[in-house]
Amino acid sequence: KARRHRHSHERYEEGQDEQHLRQLMLIRDLQEAVDNGELWMAYQPKVDTTTGRVCQFEALMRWRHPTLGFVPPDEFIGLAERSGNIGLLSDWMLAHVCEQLHHWKRQGHHLSVAINLSASDVIDPGLPMHITELFESYDLTPDQLALEVTESAVMQDVEAATETLMALSQMGLKIAIDDYGTGYSSLAQIKRLPVDELKIDKSFVLKIDTQQEDLTIVRSTIEMGHHLGLKIVAEGVENSASAEILSQLRCDYLQGYWISKPMPADAITGWLDEFKP
Ligand code: C2E
Ligand code: CA
Ligand code: CA
Ligand code: CA
C-alpha cells in the first residue's frame, strides 16, 4: 500500500528494501550455516622476510549460502556482530581451526594459525579458559595459535579487552593489532596492551611501490613499531616490487596475493611442499 505513495525515490527505496531483506536473510541463516556445514576456513600464509619461510597462516572465514551463493566475510561478519550472533561464528571457527591444527599435526606438520577476533570475543572473560580447553582436547601448544584484533574492537572496552588479552598473552599466545593505521589510537595507547605485532593495513601497502606517501607512512610505522619492540606484518603485498621494498624497510613478515591467496585447508600441505623460499 505504501508503495503507491512513492514517486521519485521509488527505485532507490526498492534497492534499500532488497538490501535490507538480504541482511535479514543472512542473519536468520547464520545458525543453519553452522549446522549445515556451509562455512569453511581459508588459510593465507605469512612469510618471514629474514628466512624467506612461511611462519604462519591466517584463518579467514568463508560462507557459501545455499541460495545467495558466496557471501563475503566483510558483509556477514559485520552483520553477525551487529545482530549479536558473532559468538556463534567465533565458537565454530575456534573449534574448527583447532581441529584442523590437530589434523595437520597428525600428518607431521606443526603449523601456527592466526585467527581474527571480534570486539565481543576480546571482552569475553571466558575466552582464555575456552582456548585452554581446546588446546587440551586437540593436543595443541600456545605457539600454534595467534590472535588478530583491530584497535577499534579493543577500544570499545579497553579495560575488559586488556584483561582478556593479558590472560591470553600469559598463556603464550601472540597478539597482533590488525588493520593498523585505520583507527585513531596512537602507538602509545597500543603499547599499553599486551601486543606483540602490528599488522599494517593493506590500504597503505597495496600501492607502496608507486605512492610516495604510503611508503613514508609504512616506513615510519615500521621504525616506531620496532623501537617499541613490536614485530611488523604487512598485508596486501601484491607484487615483487612491494615485497622488495618492505624487506628493505625491515618489515618482519609479509602477507598477500604475491605469496598466495587464502587457500582451503586441504591445499595447504601440498602448497607448503612446493613453496621455495
Ligand atoms: P582482515 O583480517 O584484514 O583480512 C585481510 C583481508 O585481505 C582478507 O579478506 C584477505 O583475503 C584479503 N587479502 C589478503 N591478501 C591480499 C592482497 O594481497 N590484496 C588484497 N586486495 N586483499 C588481500 P577476506 O578474507 O575477505 O576477509 C575480510 C575481513 O573479514 C577480514 O579482514 C576480517 O576482518 C574479517 N574476517 C574474516 N574471517 C574472520 C573470522 O573468522 N572472524 C572474524 N571476527 N573476522 C573475520
Ligand atoms: Ca586479520
Ligand atoms: Ca587486516
Ligand atoms: Ca580488515
Side-chain angles (χ1 to χ4, degrees), residues 58 116 148 178 199:
E58 178 179 6
N116 292 283
E148 296 189 5
D178 205 351
K199 196 163 181 186

Side-chain angles (χ1 to χ4, degrees), residues 58 116 148 150 178-180 199-202 235:
E58 178 179 6
N116 292 283
E148 296 189 5
T150 62
D178 205 351
D179 299 353
Y180 181 73
K199 196 163 181 186
I200 303 176
D201 191 69
K202 58 178 179 290
E235 64 174 18

Side-chain angles (χ1 to χ4, degrees), residues 42 64 73-74 123 127 136 142 149 159 178 201 206 221 260 270 274:
R64 192 174 301 282
D74 275 328
I123 61 166
L127 185 66
E136 281 170 12
V149 49
E159 263 182 56
D178 205 351
D201 191 69
L206 287 170
T221 304
S260 172
E274 292 292 308

Side-chain angles (χ1 to χ4, degrees), residues 2-274:
R3 217 162 264 279
R4 222 175 285 148
H5 300 289
R6 286 180 195 163
H7 300 291
S8 56
H9 296 295
E10 191 162 321
R11 286 177 67 114
Y12 173 67
E13 286 180 4
E14 290 196 342
Q16 294 278 82
D17 287 349
E18 266 169 41
Q19 193 53 30
H20 193 225
L21 203 61
R22 175 179 164 96
Q23 293 179 352
L24 290 175
M25 269 179 83
L26 291 176
I27 293 166
R28 181 198 65 191
D29 295 344
L30 283 169
Q31 180 70 57
E32 271 188 90
V34 173
D35 298 340
N36 298 350
E38 294 163 19
L39 301 175
W40 76 100
M41 301 304 291
Y43 296 86
Q44 188 181 31
K46 301 181 192 177
V47 164
D48 185 326
T49 54
T50 55
T51 63
R53 288 173 188 278
V54 175
C55 53
Q56 194 174 62
F57 291 86
E58 178 179 6
L60 295 155
M61 204 180 291
R62 300 289 179 255
W63 181 12
R64 192 174 301 282
H65 186 281
T67 56
L68 300 173
F70 182 77
V71 187
D74 275 328
E75 182 178 11
F76 73 80
I77 296 282
L79 282 175
E81 284 172 341
R82 292 193 296 280
S83 63
N85 289 301
I86 189 69
L88 200 70
L89 299 185
S90 296
D91 285 350
W92 174 83
M93 180 268 288
L94 257 172
H96 186 82
V97 166
C98 288
E99 192 182 353
Q100 183 62 56
L101 282 166
H102 178 75
H103 185 67
W104 279 323
K105 207 173 214 176
R106 287 171 53 124
Q107 297 181 321
H109 296 273
H110 185 93
L111 301 184
S112 172
V113 168
I115 56 168
N116 292 283
L117 293 184
S118 293
S120 66
D121 301 322
V122 86
I123 61 166
D124 174 7
L127 185 66
M129 186 47 77
H130 183 52
I131 291 182
T132 302
E133 285 167 1
L134 285 169
F135 282 0
E136 281 170 12
S137 341
Y138 291 108
D139 188 27
L140 305 177
T141 48
D143 58 297
Q144 292 193 270
L145 199 69
L147 309 172
E148 296 189 5
V149 49
T150 62
E151 46 185 289
S152 61
V154 174
M155 295 309 159
Q156 283 186 28
D157 185 343
V158 187
E159 263 182 56
T162 306
E163 218 162 290
T164 310
L165 293 179
M166 282 294 190
L168 291 161
S169 176
Q170 275 161 10
M171 284 163 54
L173 277 71
K174 294 277 188 278
I175 298 162
I177 294 293
D178 205 351
D179 299 353
Y180 181 73
T182 59
Y184 298 97
S185 35
S186 64
L187 269 181
Q189 281 173 298
I190 283 176
K191 199 40 207 172
R192 267 182 252 137
L193 304 166
V195 165
D196 305 282
E197 251 175 52
L198 291 182
K199 196 163 181 186
I200 303 176
D201 191 69
K202 58 178 179 290
S203 59
F204 303 103
V205 176
L206 287 170
K207 296 187 206 119
I208 197 176
D209 54 331
T210 53
Q211 300 283 313
Q212 189 62 42
E213 291 89 355
D214 291 344
L215 179 66
T216 305
I217 292 166
V218 170
R219 177 192 285 124
S220 64
T221 304
I222 293 173
E223 279 174 13
M224 280 195 297
H226 279 166
H227 281 303
L228 292 170
L230 300 168
K231 296 283 193 185
I232 314 292
V233 194
E235 64 174 18
V237 182
E238 291 192 350
N239 57 53
S240 62
S242 302
E244 183 58 32
I245 292 166
L246 288 156
S247 301
Q248 276 169 7
L249 296 177
R250 302 248 173 278
C251 185
D252 300 280
Y253 310 112
L254 306 183
Q255 186 181 28
Y257 296 166
W258 181 64
I259 298 155
S260 172
K261 291 199 170 183
M263 294 171 271
D266 59 14
I268 293 297
T269 54
W271 182 85
L272 269 177
D273 289 340
E274 292 292 308

